[in-house]
Amino acid sequence: MINITLVAGARPNFMKIAPIVHAIQKAKKEGKPLDFRLVHTGQHYDKKMSGDFFEQLNIPEPHANLGGGGGTQAEQTAAIMVAFEREVMENRPTLVIVVGDVTSTLACSIAAKKLGIDVAHVEGGIRSGDLSMPEEINRMVTDSITDHFFTTSEIANSNLRKAGVPEARIHFVGNTMIDTLMAQLPKFKKPEGEIFEALTPGNYFVMTMHRPANVDQEHSLKAMIDAILEGTGGLPIIFPVHPRTAKNLQNIGITAENLLMTDPLGYLEFNYLVKNSKGVITDSGGVTEEASVMNVPCVTLRDNTERAETIHLGTNELVGTDPGKLKPYLDKIMKGEWKQYQGIPLWDGKTSERIVSKIVEAYL
Ligand code: UDP
């Protein structure tokens, strides 16, 4: 029997694990000898950043919740490691699967590997080269002890080869976040509420911001929002505010009639808005992937990316964190002169099935 422990902790993890859970359930039904435990580390714990996604994406109730949220990076890493070590000692899985690049990814891979359990990293091998981002540290440490790399792109494969990872451990399978996007697309729905009623397709922007480089300094956050307001010609801008961003946003007290701030939205509502928007302005990683596949113009407010395929083949452009650079990009979107999605290899909605097949192949 192949016993898999699947780890999820923070918002972008839930979209990545949902289709893996479903693929395991399907394989199990077909008689494959495998089973899973779903462990929620509790890194994100409120309804809007966690609970709603379980409901919308049809993820079963976790078998364990480690309650590891809150505190500094080190406090959170330590709390999750201690609780996950106990979880793994009690259940002794064949394999632990971690996804993405959050604190839980790092903490659980270390705890598992030190107990002699194999680790699989979904979205392994991507690199921004920017060690000022906690996510890059999480990726590098996790990949240094990973046994099976499930990769999203040829660039990731090449990064891993350069680091000396043997070919047999690199499994180029595609992107589970896009499995979720494709599965959920028919269910996208307009959010309820007066501010959304007036929106017409192609006539508004969607914006998200949560990276420390953009939101931790009040003056730069204000300068960026001012530049966005200036470049979008008075069109409505829907801005679901990440908990990390909320406090500073309140302090700068920015108000504009067309800047429509909301709580974080559900997955189906958020992606409905992205799909029908004129363009997306973001510093998220996952959002650039989704916007690309939906062929929606996307500008990224970062100086680097670990997802270069969204630029080469997708609809994403890297603008940087200097508000002065934004205008020409927004002008292009306003004029409808943006590049089109070219298709990214293996981002076809079938990645999770490939992952489960590879695991069965490796462990039976
Ligand atoms: N998302 C959402 N509601 C929102 C904003 C984002 O459901 O209000 C989804 C989005 O579609 C994507 C994921 O959250 O699937 C991205 O998460 P986040 O930006 O927090 O993480 P990152 O991708 O930057 O690691």
Side-chain angles (χ1 to χ4, degrees):
M1 179 62 97
I2 308 166
N3 287 308
I4 299 168
T5 291
L6 194 52
V7 175
R11 178 169 70 183
N13 283 175
F14 306 132
M15 300 78 187
K16 293 171 196 172
I17 58 129
I20 303 176
V21 169
H22 300 147
I24 295 174
Q25 285 171 329
K26 183 165 168 250
K28 206 177 140 180
K29 233 186 224 160
E30 289 165 0
K32 301 266 168 24
L34 81 175
D35 211 341
F36 74 101
R37 271 178 74 76
L38 176 59
V39 176
H40 190 324
T41 65
Q43 188 185 334
H44 279 168
Y45 42 85
D46 68 30
K47 191 161 157 40
K48 294 216 151 57
M49 294 300 282
S50 170
D52 284 350
F53 297 105
F54 278 74
E55 236 168 77
Q56 288 197 335
L57 305 181
N58 198 19
I59 307 171
E61 194 64 25
H63 298 87
N65 194 317
L66 307 182
T72 64
Q73 288 276 329
E75 284 165 348
Q76 203 172 82
T77 308
I80 295 170
M81 279 181 76
V82 170
F84 192 66
E85 183 181 55
R86 201 173 305 128
E87 155 69 34
V88 170
M89 284 197 294
E90 275 166 20
N91 294 287
R92 300 297 313 182
T94 320
L95 174 73
V96 167
I97 301 183
V98 295
V99 300
D101 54 18
V102 300
T103 303
S104 305
T105 316
L106 164 96
C108 295
S109 57
I110 295 174
K113 194 66 194 161
K114 285 202 166 183
L115 289 170
I117 308 289
D118 281 2
V119 172
H121 184 196
V122 172
E123 204 186 87
I126 63 174
R127 294 287 182 275
S128 66
D130 179 358
L131 280 157
S132 71
M133 285 176 59
E135 291 87 346
E136 183 70 356
I137 299 170
N138 297 340
R139 290 178 200 118
M140 291 171 73
V141 176
T142 301
D143 283 351
S144 69
I145 52 173
T146 288
D147 297 283
H148 298 284
F149 298 86
F150 291 112
T151 61
T152 49
S153 68
E154 279 295 2
I155 306 168
N157 301 340
S158 143
N159 290 337
L160 292 169
R161 282 179 202 126
K162 271 188 235 150
V165 175
E167 206 60 42
R169 285 164 46 198
I170 305 172
H171 313 292
F172 180 29
V173 287
N175 192 332
T176 64
M177 203 165 211
I178 301 307
D179 287 4
T180 290
L181 187 80
M182 290 184 171
Q184 300 297 330
L185 212 122
K187 298 185 215 149
F188 287 178
K189 54 182 182 196
K190 195 172 193 167
E192 284 173 17
E194 214 174 298
I195 62 166
F196 304 109
E197 281 312 311
L199 299 177
T200 53
N203 274 312
Y204 64 89
F205 283 83
V206 174
M207 159 168 133
T208 78
M209 257 199 254
H210 67 281
R211 303 268 168 232
N214 285 322
V215 304
D216 282 2
Q217 305 297 324
E218 288 173 16
H219 66 275
S220 49
L221 177 61
K222 183 171 182 324
M224 187 57 89
I225 294 178
D226 282 341
I228 292 168
L229 284 167
E230 200 193 306
T232 46
L235 288 181
I237 303 166
I238 308 291
F239 184 12
V241 179
H242 193 282
R244 185 186 175 104
T245 316
K247 192 165 153 275
N248 277 352
L249 208 54
Q250 234 168 19
N251 290 346
I252 61 175
I254 218 160
T255 51
E257 216 168 86
N258 58 322
L259 182 63
L260 307 171
M261 292 185 259
T262 73
D263 282 339
L265 294 167
Y267 180 84
L268 301 177
E269 290 84 355
F270 179 76
N271 282 292
Y272 171 94
L273 291 176
V274 170
K275 185 166 190 297
N276 291 289
S277 70
K278 189 167 198 70
V280 178
I281 303 161
T282 191
D283 61 9
S284 160
V287 172
T288 65
E289 298 177 341
E290 293 161 345
S292 286
V293 172
M294 291 191 277
N295 198 24
V296 171
C298 180
V299 294
T300 292
L301 308 175
R302 285 177 50 192
D303 296 316
N304 46 60
T305 178
E306 59 292 330
R307 293 167 162 88
E309 66 281 1
T310 63
I311 296 170
H312 303 146
L313 298 169
T315 59
N316 187 23
E317 287 287 359
L318 210 52
V319 173
T321 49
D322 173 0
K325 301 246 171 79
L326 193 54
K327 185 86 172 46
Y329 292 94
L330 293 178
D331 283 351
K332 246 181 152 180
I333 297 179
M334 292 298 283
K335 285 191 216 141
E337 289 170 357
W338 206 255
K339 61 187 175 184
Q340 301 287 309
Y341 179 50
Q342 307 287 307
I344 298 177
L346 298 185
W347 291 21
D348 58 0
K350 297 187 181 128
T351 296
S352 303
E353 283 173 27
R354 287 183 203 111
I355 291 175
V356 172
S357 300
K358 292 271 176 200
I359 291 173
V360 171
E361 215 174 277
Y363 288 95
L364 264 195

